[in-house]
Every structure is written in C-alpha cells, then in structure tokens.
C-alpha cells in the first residue's frame, strides 16, 4: 500500500523538494508564544501576511480539533481555511493539517516548534506539501515563503505589544 504523501515524514527525515522552512526569534518565552497560537483573541491579531485579517468561525485547540476561519486579503478576497490540530505538545510543538476545507486534497502539514533561545523563543514553521509541484505552486502563485515570514513578523509584533500591555 502506497503511503499518503501528506503524512508526516519519519523523525529526522528531510523532504526539501516538498517543504518550506521559516524561522524567526521572538522576544518572549515559549509559553507566551505558544499562548498566541492557542487562543482566538491572539490569533485574530496576527495570523496571516501583512494586510490580511482573520475571522474565526469555530476553534477547538486539541488533537483532532478544528480551527475554521476566513482570511480576508487586502484586495477584499476571502479565503476559506481549516486547520486540523494533529499533535500538541505545550509549549514546544504543534502539528496541523491546513487546507481550504476539511477534505482538501491540496492540504499540507505544518509543524511549529518553539525553542527557548536566551530570553526569546526561536519559532520554526516547517510546512510539507504532498508534491514538489504543489510546493512550487504556492511559492510562486501565493508567495508562501514571504507570507510565512510576514506572518511570523506579525506574531513577533503581537507578542511584543501584548507583553508590553500586560507589564
């Protein structure tokens, strides 16, 4: 039986022709950065590239739970999204399947790891696509690498402003 290419690779296995990896260090401890991923009140402030906003329709942060939301582009285009949480290891790691619908054949797997670096957190977003051509499509058509970098930038800004507001 052939393996589903969307399945997670074996631990340590690299699939560079099908993956995007973006890393950023954020000023704040892992538990604070993790919380920014776990609550809608935070996600709605930073999720998505610059100029995008997010409307959440449902959110259940647990393995097997779904986050159903719409991303609103700066050109007013709406993009339906569903994230299914696969693994959650607080405050270190989250794995999720992301697509336009629950059964989207073009969904992809993302892993977010949070590692303490000094007084900050190194956030790594690793996304694995079903095929190399799917990866290339999202890189060129949707500017996925820039979008991921901008999203982590917005996360950094949110954590900084949120930490300042709660000091």
């Amino acid at each position: 039986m052939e393996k589903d290419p969307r399945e997670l690779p074996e631990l340590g296995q690299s699939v560079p022709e099908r993956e995007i990896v973006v890393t950023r260090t954020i000023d704040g401890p892992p538990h604070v950065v993790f919380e920014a991923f776990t609550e809608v009140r935070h996600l709605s402030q930073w999720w998505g590239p610059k100029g995008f906003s997010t409307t959440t329709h449902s959110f259940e942060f647990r393995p097997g739970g779904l986050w159903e939301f719409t991303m609103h582009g700066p050109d007013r285009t709406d993009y339906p999204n569903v994230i299914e949480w696969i693994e959650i290891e607080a405050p270190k790691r989250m794995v999720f399947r992301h697509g336009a619908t629950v059964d989207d054949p073009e969904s992809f797997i993302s892993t977010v790891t949070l590692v303490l670096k000094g007084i900050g957190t190194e956030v790594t977003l690793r996304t694995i696509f079903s095929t190399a051509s799917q990866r290339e499509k999202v890189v060129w058509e949707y500017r996925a690498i820039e979008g991921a970098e901008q999203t982590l930038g917005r996360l950094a800004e949110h954590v900084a402003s949120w930490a300042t507001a709660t000091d």
Side-chain angles (χ1 to χ4, degrees):
M1 185 164 99
E2 191 173 309
K3 261 182 111 170
D4 180 345
R6 293 177 298 166
E7 287 183 16
L8 296 170
E10 298 299 319
L11 190 60
Q13 180 183 358
S14 180
V15 287
E17 71 280 357
R18 295 191 296 128
E19 72 183 353
I20 295 172
V21 180
V22 176
T23 301
R24 182 178 182 122
T25 300
I26 294 178
D27 293 331
H31 74 274
V32 170
V33 176
F34 185 83
E35 186 177 331
F37 277 93
T38 67
E39 295 184 18
V40 172
R41 69 186 176 100
H42 292 299
L43 285 164
S44 64
Q45 300 298 310
W46 66 268
W47 187 268
K50 290 179 184 175
F52 280 75
S53 63
T54 302
T55 300
T56 294
H57 309 293
S58 67
F59 185 81
E60 189 173 8
F61 188 72
R62 63 167 182 79
L66 299 178
W67 176 25
E68 297 178 272
F69 60 102
T70 302
M71 291 180 67
H72 311 286
D75 64 355
R76 299 182 188 227
T77 301
D78 288 339
Y79 302 92
N81 285 262
V82 175
I83 283 178
E84 176 188 5
W85 303 102
I86 298 169
E87 295 177 24
I88 299 169
E89 182 184 350
K92 300 176 183 179
R93 184 172 184 262
M94 294 158 277
V95 180
F96 54 90
R97 184 179 312 276
H98 189 164
T101 61
V102 173
D103 56 356
D104 183 355
E106 293 190 2
S107 66
F108 49 87
I109 301 288
S110 291
T111 301
V112 176
T113 54
L114 308 174
V115 177
L116 181 64
K117 295 286 183 180
I119 59 170
T121 301
E122 182 181 79
V123 179
T124 301
L125 173 60
R126 179 178 186 223
T127 301
I128 301 174
F129 298 90
S130 299
T131 65
S133 62
Q134 182 189 7
R135 178 206 182 273
E136 289 305 305
K137 177 182 176 181
V138 301
V139 165
W140 296 109
E141 285 186 32
Y142 300 110
R143 298 179 44 207
I145 295 171
E146 295 92 338
E149 290 170 346
Q150 290 176 15
T151 297
L152 291 185
R154 291 183 68 198
L155 170 61
E157 291 169 3
H158 175 69
V159 168
S161 68
W162 169 38
T164 301
T166 57
D167 284 345

